Amino acid sequence: MSRDRTVDVLVIGAGPAGLALAARLAGAGAGRVEVLEREQDAGGVPRHCHHGGFGGPVRPWLTGPAYARRAVRAATAAGATVRTGVSATGWAGPLTLETTSPAGLERIAARAVVLATGARERPRSARLVPGSRPAGVLTTGELQQSVHLYGQDIGRRAVVVGAEPVARHAVRTLRRAGAEVVAVITERSRGTAVPGVPLLTATTVAELRGRGRLSGVALRHEDGRCGLLACDTVVFTGDWIPDHELARRGGVALDPGTRGPCTDASFRTSVPGVFAVGNALHGVERAATAAGEGDAAADPVLARLAGAPWPDPGPPLVVRAPLLWVTPNRLTDVVGRPLLLRSAEPLTAPVLTAAQDGRLLWRRRVPARATSSRSLTLPPGWTDRVDRSGGPVVLAIG
Amino acid sequence: MTVTATTAVTTGGALPGGEYDVTVVGAGVVGAAIARELARFPLRIALVDASDDVGDGTSKANTAILHTGFDAVPGSLESRLVREGHRLLAAYAAESGIPVEPLGALLVAWDDEQLAALPGLAEKAVRNGYRAARIIAADEVRAREPELGPGVLGALDVPGESIICPWTTTLAYATQAVRAGVDLHLNCRVQKVTSGETHALATSRGPLRTRYLVNAAGLYADEIDRLLGHADFAVTPRRGQLIVFDELARGLVRHVLLPVPSALGKGVLVSPTVYGNVMLGPTAEDLDDKTDTGSTAEGIALLREKGRRILPALLEEEVTAVYAGLRAATGDDDYAIRAHPAQRYVTVGGIRSTGLTASMAIAAHVVELLADGGLPVAGARELEPVRMPNLGEAFLRPYRDAELIARDPEYGRIVCHCERVTRGEIRDALASAVPPGSPDGLRRRTRARGGRCQGFHCGAAVRALFEEARR
């Protein structure tokens, strides 16, 4: 038998986005605001990011764990209930979640549900890297938890795959664990170099070698040159994907670009009463960005609690290559905060256009630099020119 | 309940002295089934394996189908043993909690040659004693499998085919054997055999003496055979690469989608697994290296191309795992099960992908051969039934079992979020009669770390539990 309970707002995931939202909602008197966290400790991915630079504005000395503790304190101090070790395992109704915890099974109904389920890095298998299946193959997330949360032994010689900022953190964690990092490799033509570590660009992992334990990675350069790097550890970094299982199982429409729930600028999904915030929407952004989304979702959630209608989905917002995705990705209303736009290729001060049904809505040079791991923030002023009953709004370069 | 005091699983150090009545070499699904069958008799039995775990070779990486045997070579030993084994294993699985889902199979014809082959296959099924197969038209195929790619011409419907958990099967046999008094010696590679009044085995863990010897060494069965002076078959490792797609793909497919065998080989299948995800494969590549279980870029590309034709939407789903297994192919079209009574020796070679289905029938057959060769088999007893932890998504898993969690809250503490594996299950596996020798062994007992994140979330926690139990 499972117990049935009702709360006002149920937030799934106690990372930066979920906690920031819960703090604002509880502080605004939204009633019973409950945050479910499946891990034993709340705080999300920052719990295992032992480097500085967290917070908004960025505080160089504020580490991930300190930031996570601060976020948990803020949510609970505001009156939200943060429950750890509780997994949302499925839906029992449109706004009712099934949960498992050591206390048993529950069905928790809510007046509003917020998915703040975060993102994960694609592992080696999802990247279709061939070869054997030895021990010593990790993602940054597993590496950081192994070293920072469990003090486990990592190998002696490591290769890091990917040259986004997260790769730098992987290198630092490996060094702290006593491993020598023999190379950072990226299939891109450039990447973030780490002092003291060779950066191999335009290079892919052709094969993993080794039985029992990794013995090396075979590399292939874009020009056809091949080589073998001896190592006992390889860390696959970046390539984030939203943890969207709960969204999909709840029938929430996903955006093909982000693979996260499709939302409008008020974080409303395709299912009335279900919101989504943070890295569940777009893969990894800085903790402060995720928290900012959680914070900004509070007003729409409060409006929902007050009985505001759920709008019909407006036209989709889609991108053209090399642009990868944009959030929000539905335009039900005039957008009040900057849009996030990601590109597969580095772009410096690109000229962006927005068009609908062949009609140019907006064209502007955005004076900033985008990379495959850093989004552009677009001013939203042009969104008042969108025809709510028109076709898709297309963002492109040019 | 786990009983550890009376069990004898050794993983290092010298082997026990004295003489075994029977020693089975190879603790795969077939070797473990034979050891279990022998455990019914008042005999001193050893089951030895070169690996650190049972079922760590061919048995762990296969297509996990409980076959009807409809497509065997009629009249062959394989045909008979698969037919009998299907019945025996289905009953054993129900009794032991091994997950089985009777989904049925469709052999889908995509071209005229394949369509023309269906009547012959239906007729062959009858000759194999299987009468339920029938040919269905394209519209019925599409109604039953709406996500199939364009171009389906028809199918052979084989309603008796099922999917099964291969890991739990091997483990159930081994657990029951060990609890009944069989000694399981792991990390124990057989290097040399000297045969006289008894067989003296030189192993990587020292000498072992046994009166009767059973060779169920899978890929290495031909090499063990040569140590005893036989050279009537050679094992060619045939590699099969497989791609496993996310559980979120499970809704795309309802049956085991078998290829229609053609002149070019058996082809690639798409099948749900009992763990709730979807498998695409295998390739078929004859190799020389019996240890080469690596995947290749070419193999993955080939599977994706085939899969895109069969079930286009599948290719849009996330990939959970890519792996390769090696099947023990011989030049022959049948199992190579040979008794050498004068040597008190039985070889169980050439056991291909049907070996999982046939395992219990092979075991019964091998014990008969041993008895014919003089092994005393009086005093058979019923074995204590075994109840295995359920890994099947279609059955009640601990994280959903309110009563179980109320009795023991550790079953409500989910450690591996993707596969919803609880700390209670991990604890039980680590304390079980045949404990895992590695985190991968733990995965095969619980599914922990086997999901879409491959350890991003739980890898460190699972490893910590494994290492803690080893201390």
Side-chain angles (χ1 to χ4, degrees):
Chain A
M1 271 303 292
S2 54
R3 290 183 303 279
D4 291 5
R5 285 196 304 117
T6 302
V7 299
D8 292 291
V9 184
L10 189 61
V11 181
I12 316 298
L19 290 170
L21 172 63
R24 271 282 317 274
L25 285 176
R32 184 171 172 90
V33 178
E34 185 164 309
V35 188
L36 303 183
E37 171 52 52
R38 62 189 189 177
E39 297 289 346
Q40 297 306 307
D41 295 300
V45 163
R47 286 178 307 124
H48 48 80
C49 295
H50 281 236
H51 53 82
F54 280 83
V58 172
R59 296 175 181 83
W61 64 90
L62 187 62
T63 65
Y67 177 86
R69 284 192 296 272
R70 186 181 286 204
V72 177
R73 268 201 309 272
T76 49
T81 305
V82 179
R83 297 173 64 211
T84 60
V86 184
S87 300
T89 58
W91 301 78
L95 292 175
T96 304
L97 282 144
E98 296 171 328
T99 69
T100 292
S101 78
L105 307 187
E106 283 188 302
R107 278 193 296 247
I108 308 175
R111 295 166 62 210
V113 171
V114 185
L115 302 174
T117 50
R120 66 177 191 274
E121 289 163 299
R122 282 197 178 85
R124 167 266 177 108
S125 50
R127 303 180 196 210
L128 301 177
V129 175
S132 61
R133 298 177 77 200
V137 183
L138 308 165
T139 50
T140 319
E142 181 171 0
L143 170 73
Q144 290 182 336
Q145 295 195 47
S146 301
V147 172
H148 296 311
L149 302 187
Y150 291 90
Q152 287 167 354
D153 198 26
I154 297 297
R156 302 268 72 86
R157 279 173 63 84
V159 168
V160 171
V161 181
E164 299 176 359
V166 63
R168 234 174 25 231
H169 301 315
V171 169
R172 199 176 314 186
T173 303
L174 283 163
R175 284 177 168 166
R176 180 163 155 172
E180 177 198 359
V181 183
V182 291
V184 173
I185 73 162
T186 173
E187 59 189 353
R188 300 183 188 281
S189 54
R190 52 186 163 174
T192 317
V194 184
V197 185
L199 173 69
L200 309 180
T201 55
T203 303
T204 52
V205 180
E207 187 187 342
L208 300 190
R209 305 259 179 93
R211 313 204 175 284
R213 182 80 192 190
L214 185 73
S215 63
V217 294
L219 303 180
R220 185 181 296 118
H221 192 266
E222 197 175 67
D223 64 11
R225 282 178 295 148
C226 294
L228 182 70
L229 269 180
C231 59
D232 59 12
T233 302
V234 60
V235 183
F236 287 89
T237 73
D239 197 357
W240 297 86
I241 176 168
D243 263 329
H244 61 214
E245 177 177 12
L246 214 51
R248 270 185 80 174
R249 294 208 189 277
V252 171
L254 301 190
D255 178 75
T258 61
R259 298 226 163 197
C262 209
T263 57
D264 65 11
S266 297
F267 304 95
R268 291 179 290 225
T269 71
S270 62
V271 175
V274 178
F275 296 81
V277 293
N279 288 339
L281 290 183
H282 39 51
V284 83
E285 293 284 340
R286 297 177 55 251
T289 304
E293 291 177 358
D295 198 61
D299 286 339
V301 173
L302 288 167
R304 164 78 187 175
L305 297 179
W310 203 258
D312 287 336
L317 183 52
V318 300
V319 294
R320 292 277 178 268
L323 304 178
L324 287 174
W325 52 255
V326 60
T327 58
N329 25 48
R330 283 271 172 192
L331 293 167
T332 53
D333 222 335
V334 174
V335 177
R337 54 196 308 274
L339 293 85
L340 281 182
L341 179 74
R342 191 68 72 89
S343 167
E345 291 166 13
L347 301 172
T348 304
V351 174
L352 289 166
T353 62
Q356 185 182 30
D357 301 325
R359 183 168 59 97
L360 187 67
L361 303 178
W362 181 72
R363 184 171 191 279
R364 185 153 144 195
R365 182 173 298 279
V366 179
R369 191 174 138 71
T371 69
S372 60
S373 61
R374 192 167 71 188
S375 300
L376 288 175
T377 52
L378 303 187
W382 56 274
T383 56
D384 62 357
R385 297 196 272 283
V386 172
D387 174 3
R388 303 299 139 195
S389 52
V393 176
V394 180
L395 276 178
I397 295 176
Chain B
M1 285 306 295
T2 48
V3 183
T4 47
T6 59
T7 61
V9 179
T10 71
T11 56
L15 298 169
E19 187 179 288
Y20 284 102
D21 292 309
V22 189
T23 294
V24 180
V25 179
V29 71
V30 170
I34 294 167
R36 175 192 165 277
E37 187 69 23
L38 287 166
R40 296 166 56 230
F41 304 101
L43 297 168
R44 188 170 178 231
I45 316 284
L47 174 62
V48 304
D49 199 282
S51 170
D52 66 2
D53 204 349
V54 300
D56 194 38
T58 297
S59 301
K60 79 176 176 198
N62 54 50
T63 50
I65 294 173
L66 181 57
H67 293 282
T68 57
F70 79 96
D71 61 346
V73 176
S76 65
L77 180 63
E78 183 182 19
S79 168
R80 173 166 75 83
L81 295 180
V82 171
R83 192 165 63 244
E84 290 174 15
H86 180 276
R87 182 174 50 77
L88 291 170
L89 181 50
Y92 181 73
E95 173 191 302
S96 312
I98 298 166
V100 172
E101 285 183 61
L103 299 178
L106 296 175
L107 277 83
V108 181
W110 298 91
D111 59 36
D112 291 330
E113 186 201 351
Q114 292 177 0
L115 189 65
L118 296 183
L121 287 165
E123 190 252 340
K124 189 179 184 183
V126 172
R127 283 195 285 149
N128 279 311
Y130 185 75
R131 296 173 192 286
R134 65 188 182 98
I135 295 169
I136 60 175
D139 53 350
E140 187 180 345
V141 181
R142 188 153 299 285
R144 286 170 60 175
E145 284 291 357
E147 295 289 339
L148 279 175
V152 175
L153 299 180
L156 184 70
D157 176 24
V158 189
E161 296 278 302
S162 306
I163 56 173
I164 186 169
C165 176
W167 304 328
T168 309
T169 305
T170 307
L171 197 62
Y173 295 155
T175 300
Q176 218 176 3
V178 164
R179 286 192 191 158
V182 170
D183 287 354
L184 171 61
H185 302 305
L186 298 168
N187 299 313
C188 184
R189 183 181 296 280
V190 175
Q191 293 155 331
K192 202 172 153 214
V193 180
T194 311
S195 300
E197 192 55 31
T198 62
H199 299 285
L201 274 55
T203 81
S204 53
R205 290 178 51 196
L208 181 152
R209 287 195 303 125
T210 185
R211 281 197 45 78
Y212 287 79
L213 186 62
V214 177
N215 168 8
L219 292 166
Y220 301 92
D222 57 342
E223 292 171 33
I224 300 284
D225 238 24
R226 278 200 289 279
L227 296 178
L228 283 114
H230 304 286
D232 54 349
F233 69 91
V235 174
T236 307
R238 180 169 295 161
R239 182 165 62 189
Q241 303 184 39
L242 293 141
I243 300 176
V244 178
F245 289 87
D246 193 286
E247 287 178 40
L248 292 165
R250 177 64 182 82
L252 296 175
V253 55
R254 302 169 184 176
H255 305 78
V256 180
L257 300 176
L258 296 172
V260 177
S262 74
L264 294 171
K266 284 194 109 174
V268 168
L269 63 83
V270 171
S271 174
T273 74
V274 294
Y275 320 113
N277 46 30
V278 179
M279 190 170 59
L280 168 68
T283 58
E285 310 152 61
D286 285 338
L287 307 181
D288 299 320
D289 182 353
K290 289 179 175 178
T291 63
D292 190 357
T293 53
S295 56
T296 63
E298 298 74 26
I300 293 168
L302 174 91
L303 291 179
R304 286 173 58 81
E305 180 199 322
K306 302 267 189 198
R308 197 180 300 281
R309 173 155 193 206
I310 301 168
L311 211 61
L314 183 62
L315 276 293
E316 301 303 313
E317 298 290 341
E318 291 291 312
V319 169
T320 297
V322 176
Y323 66 92
L326 299 174
R327 35 222 204 269
T330 62
D332 200 1
D333 236 4
D334 202 352
Y335 294 162
I337 301 181
R338 319 254 203 266
H340 305 281
Q343 278 185 303
R344 301 176 312 281
Y345 173 61
V346 175
T347 302
V348 190
I351 309 298
R352 290 102 46 114
S353 66
T354 52
L356 168 61
T357 302
S359 52
M360 295 186 85
I362 293 173
H365 180 62
V366 168
V367 171
E368 272 174 38
L369 294 176
L370 287 168
D372 292 348
L375 179 74
V377 292
R381 56 176 173 141
E382 286 294 309
L383 291 177
E384 188 79 22
V386 66
R387 192 73 201 168
M388 302 305 289
N390 167 43
L391 300 190
E393 203 55 38
F395 307 93
L396 185 63
R397 293 194 52 224
Y399 82 90
R400 300 197 69 113
D401 189 338
E403 286 173 29
L404 185 64
I405 298 169
R407 281 202 301 278
D408 184 347
E410 290 297 88
Y411 293 111
R413 204 180 295 282
I414 295 178
V415 176
C416 165
H417 306 298
C418 302
E419 298 295 301
R420 284 150 188 183
V421 182
T422 64
R423 205 152 96 182
E425 293 165 275
I426 292 172
R427 173 202 63 198
D428 294 352
L430 292 168
S432 64
V434 183
S438 67
D440 280 347
L442 181 60
R443 174 171 53 81
R444 294 193 293 273
R445 284 161 178 80
T446 62
R447 294 170 46 173
R449 210 179 182 284
R452 62 178 70 91
C453 91
Q454 293 281 303
F456 177 97
H457 292 300
C458 75
V462 171
R463 205 165 36 247
L465 290 171
F466 177 79
E467 281 162 11
E468 188 184 315
R470 298 253 279 191
R471 275 199 290 273

